[in-house]
Amino acid sequence: MSALNYGYAASKVVSSVPSAYVMGAVRLEFCKMRRKHLWLISLGLLGFQGLWLSVGSAKYLQTSSSYMALFSMMPVLNGVVFPLLCALIASTLVDIEHQAHMWKELLCLQDLRSLIGAKWIAQTLIMLVVVSVQTMGIVVGGWATIPGHDLASFGLVAQYWLSTLVPSLMLSALLQALCLVVPNQFVALSTSVSLCFLGLFIPYLLTGWSWCVPSAYFSLMSPVAQNFDTTTSVMHFSLSPFPVGPCIVAFLVSGAVLYATLHHLAHLK
Amino acid sequence: MQKGIVLTNIQTECTALQGNKHEYASGLVACIRTECIKLRRAPIWLAFAGLPAAATLIGSANYGGNLGELTPGWEALWSQQTLFLCYFFLPALIGVGASYLWRFEHEGTNWHELMTQPVPAWCIFGAKLVVGSLFSLVALLSTTVLFCISGYVLGVPGSFPFATVVGEVTLGWCGSLAITAVQLVFSMHIRNFAAPVGMALGGGILGIVATLMGVGSVFAYSLLQVGMNPATFVTLGVHGALVLIVMSVLWVAGACLVGVKWLEHHDIEAR
């Protein structure tokens, strides 16, 4: 898209009515993301997760041929991959303005809340698609792999989808805030690598600390409970009740981070 | 430091080199010095020293909590502390470091200014490779020092396997050079800071697959894993070590060739 078109789209954002105002700003963010290959990166990382799942699930599926076994592995994989994926998307969305020194110009055309809100909504929409594609991939992959070709129950799939999306949104809010506040993207990216690391270990080693580590919420909100029977040496899987507490905490943290980011940037402005 | 001052520094140093018979070697030294100036007050060292510290703490906790299932010893502790660090997080962190090294050049009109410096393209790429290799060296040294300290604090039985650890860390560093070189090529080509980091994480995962398939000594992202040998802690042997070193050299040389050729032939593009 040419600079003239960007200017036209931006002027549409300013002149539109409030409901269309935000939609226009979000559309503008997606225009900026053209040729950034975000979809390719997201699909690539999902592909790596699929590869890992297909290798790792073989052992589980020998003893328990059910979707529970597949879905039980996912929180750990998400804890490793999603913090970095959220940081990649957030950094790409935000760094484009840092690199081109666009903030002053953008804030002449757009309200700060709509600008930051549009970036957050754009990231949320991308994560929504990524989580939905991943969930569908597991269902379809399980249907092809698990003997009997049974489909996963709607409750399990819906709970998994929600318990993956909510921590993703919290991570997105946190990492996008970091990308916005600290222009040096190294900070956000290295933080995300640390979160990947903590997301892998904290749920197993320091369970009580899982509430304090955003990437550990994938395991904290896992839809599948595991119970290892030492007498028969078989892992039993069951559907967990929906984790209302972590869900509320995640929403509160996301809201607080968004508010703090807006407040901080408004002060700087 | 302001970018203008940095560029003036490299210009001054490189202009002074003209006419010197050791021009090329000195050009590389000047570029390395300039890279170090650019990194002054950057928090990058903290991340490379801090992530292994987190890995050590978590690995030590895991070792202490699973003594009933693990065979107590330095091997088990090494495995707990380095397994996931080498498989996923160090390649990703190297990717972040490589992106950081090129970020400055991609900003504003710095690319044009970089291309007009009186130094050969290989000096520019080589300097970034040297500095990038120092990043991984910091991470690996931090891992080793913390491994020693945590081992003595935890009272790990047996004598400290000094020679083995030095060998593994040296080979791991050789392997990390291949990742650094490849990531530098990606980060040079892709202006986006984040995308090459995703590629590094993907490379790490592909590296595990390559290692599981028995071709770990061939794939760039597996070389660090094979060298550090966190899963088995078995000495590679002279032949295995030689193969790893040769493959690392080949990957580094290949990446340097691609990077330098790209720098030489794409400098006139409007960016």
Side-chain angles (χ1 to χ4, degrees):
Chain A
M1 178 178 271
S2 67
L4 196 65
N5 286 346
Y6 276 131
Y8 175 70
S11 66
K12 292 283 280 181
V13 167
V14 175
S15 62
S16 303
V17 289
S19 57
Y21 183 94
V22 177
M23 287 309 295
V26 174
R27 206 171 57 219
L28 197 58
E29 291 302 324
F30 279 104
C31 287
K32 290 177 198 169
M33 286 303 101
R34 206 180 273 182
R35 296 194 193 90
K36 292 287 175 189
H37 308 300
L38 267 184
W39 298 112
L40 196 66
I41 295 167
S42 307
L43 281 175
L45 285 177
L46 285 185
F48 290 127
Q49 273 196 326
L51 193 68
W52 192 344
L53 185 67
S54 60
V55 174
S57 63
K59 185 184 74 179
Y60 275 137
L61 291 178
Q62 280 173 357
T63 54
S64 173
S65 301
S66 73
Y67 277 97
M68 294 278 191
L70 281 181
F71 280 111
S72 71
M73 290 183 68
M74 289 313 294
V76 176
L77 293 186
N78 291 337
V80 174
V81 172
F82 272 37
L84 194 60
L85 180 60
C86 291
L88 294 180
I89 296 167
S91 174
T92 308
L93 276 164
V94 174
D95 197 34
I96 196 166
E97 320 296 3
H98 284 311
Q99 273 199 327
H101 306 289
M102 285 296 291
W103 292 111
K104 283 179 188 170
E105 194 174 330
L106 280 172
L107 290 175
C108 295
L109 295 166
Q110 280 176 270
D111 171 47
L112 177 69
R113 277 186 302 174
S114 84
L115 179 61
I116 304 302
K119 287 197 183 292
W120 188 78
I121 292 170
Q123 171 138 15
T124 301
L125 288 175
I126 294 171
M127 289 313 296
L128 196 76
V129 173
V130 166
V131 172
S132 303
V133 167
Q134 188 209 49
T135 310
M136 278 187 349
I138 297 168
V139 172
V140 173
W143 180 79
T145 316
I146 296 170
H149 297 290
D150 291 327
L151 274 175
S153 71
F154 177 76
L156 175 65
V157 175
Q159 190 172 330
Y160 171 77
W161 182 79
L162 204 59
S163 60
T164 307
L165 186 65
V166 172
S168 303
L169 298 187
M170 179 169 59
L171 279 168
S172 299
L174 281 165
L175 291 165
Q176 200 175 69
L178 207 55
C179 290
L180 281 163
V181 174
V182 187
N184 185 348
Q185 300 301 296
F186 175 80
V187 176
L189 266 297
S190 53
T191 305
S192 75
V193 174
S194 307
L195 283 173
C196 293
F197 195 77
L198 293 174
L200 178 65
F201 283 104
I202 291 289
Y204 294 106
L205 298 178
L206 304 160
T207 316
W209 284 84
S210 295
W211 288 81
C212 307
V213 180
S215 51
Y217 273 64
F218 292 105
S219 296
L220 202 63
M221 295 178 70
S222 174
V224 180
Q226 300 180 41
N227 184 25
F228 186 70
D229 190 342
T230 46
T231 52
T232 56
S233 297
V234 173
M235 186 74 85
H236 294 288
F237 302 98
S238 58
L239 188 66
S240 301
F242 186 76
V244 180
C247 195
I248 292 171
V249 172
F251 275 119
L252 286 176
V253 169
S254 306
V257 168
L258 271 174
Y259 177 77
T261 312
L262 278 172
H263 183 75
H264 178 78
L265 293 176
H267 178 69
L268 284 181
K269 179 186 162 192
Chain B
M1 176 171 282
Q2 291 173 353
K3 65 177 182 181
I5 298 172
V6 173
L7 290 166
T8 310
N9 280 350
I10 192 171
Q11 275 171 338
T12 311
E13 290 191 17
C14 294
T15 311
L17 293 168
Q18 287 175 347
N20 190 328
K21 63 180 180 181
H22 300 299
E23 188 176 326
Y24 285 144
S26 306
L28 180 64
V29 172
C31 286
I32 293 170
R33 206 176 295 165
T34 310
E35 288 298 328
C36 294
I37 293 170
K38 288 178 198 168
L39 290 172
R40 201 178 282 175
R41 295 195 191 89
I44 196 158
W45 305 103
L46 275 175
F48 278 90
L51 190 73
T56 304
L57 280 174
I58 290 170
S60 302
N62 206 23
Y63 174 84
N66 293 293
L67 276 175
E69 292 165 32
L70 295 168
T71 309
W74 291 99
E75 292 85 351
L77 183 65
W78 178 259
S79 178
Q80 294 299 316
Q81 289 186 358
T82 59
L83 187 66
F84 290 100
L85 183 73
C86 295
Y87 282 173
F88 308 112
F89 306 113
L90 203 50
L93 201 60
I94 290 171
V96 177
S99 282
Y100 188 81
L101 286 172
W102 280 107
R103 178 183 170 79
F104 189 78
E105 322 303 349
H106 289 311
E107 275 184 359
T109 56
N110 286 0
W111 190 266
H112 295 297
E113 295 191 45
L114 182 79
M115 289 295 102
T116 56
Q117 298 309 309
V119 280
W122 74 265
C123 286
I124 295 170
F125 193 89
K128 290 192 189 293
L129 180 65
V130 170
V131 176
S133 67
L134 287 178
F135 291 159
S136 14
L137 190 65
V138 168
L140 294 175
L141 286 179
S142 170
T143 306
T144 312
V145 170
L146 292 168
F147 170 65
C148 302
I149 295 170
S150 60
Y152 283 113
V153 169
L154 289 167
V156 175
S159 57
F160 181 73
F162 182 79
T164 316
V165 169
V166 170
E168 304 286 350
V169 170
T170 309
L171 288 175
W173 184 66
C174 286
S176 76
L177 290 182
I179 301 177
T180 308
V182 173
Q183 281 300 132
L184 279 173
V185 174
F186 287 148
S187 297
M188 178 183 67
H189 189 69
I190 303 167
R191 296 191 74 180
N192 186 342
F193 186 93
V197 183
M199 293 162 90
L201 182 72
I205 297 172
L206 278 180
I208 302 171
V209 177
T211 307
L212 289 174
M213 288 168 65
V215 288
S217 300
V218 180
F219 186 53
Y221 290 86
S222 307
L223 294 173
L224 169 67
Q225 303 161 12
V226 174
M228 291 286 277
N229 213 358
T232 52
F233 203 73
V234 174
T235 310
L236 277 171
V238 179
H239 180 256
L242 275 175
V243 169
L244 191 142
I245 291 167
V246 168
M247 286 312 298
S248 297
V249 169
L250 285 177
W251 274 103
V252 171
C256 286
L257 194 70
V258 172
V260 171
K261 285 290 166 198
W262 195 87
L263 268 178
E264 284 173 350
H265 290 95
H266 288 74
D267 58 342
I268 50 164
E269 273 184 11
R271 294 176 69 87

